[in-house]
Amino acid sequence: MKTSKEIVLKVARLARLDMDEADVDLFSSQLGTILDYVDTLNQVDTTGLVATSHATTTTNAFREDEEIPSLNLDIALANAPEKDDGAFLVPKVI
């Protein structure tokens, strides 16, 4: 499919791109190649296929939750520079 220079110039104007004649020729050729490929893809029979968001199947790698004992509060606060009523004391941040 040959893309006309007028289409390339229109898209360039909409995108506010300044293109010289060499750029217009190059982009016209490249855009034509891309549209030819898209046309080839449109010819593939996709009847009965489910639309997907990924090319491959995805699975989550979740693990089972397991209960483990938590750290003792006295041990957790043992090296705290300042503590009060079972909590770390830190400078106020505003």
Side-chain angles (χ1 to χ4, degrees), residues 70-81 83 86 88:
S70 60
L71 190 59
N72 177 295
L73 184 60
D74 293 329
I75 294 172
L77 294 172
N79 291 323
K83 54 190 169 200
F88 292 96

Side-chain angles (χ1 to χ4, degrees), residues 31-94:
L31 188 56
T33 303
I34 292 168
L35 293 176
D36 286 341
Y37 185 71
V38 169
D39 189 47
T40 302
L41 293 176
N42 284 333
Q43 295 174 13
V44 176
D45 182 21
T46 58
T47 307
L49 295 178
V50 179
T52 59
S53 60
H54 299 284
T56 60
T57 58
T58 57
T59 55
N60 291 326
F62 292 130
R63 60 175 168 75
E64 293 296 320
D65 287 338
E66 56 183 67
E67 192 173 319
I68 58 173
S70 60
L71 190 59
N72 177 295
L73 184 60
D74 293 329
I75 294 172
L77 294 172
N79 291 323
E82 295 185 50
K83 54 190 169 200
D84 182 38
D85 196 28
F88 292 96
L89 287 180
V90 295
K92 185 176 183 177
V93 177
I94 296 179

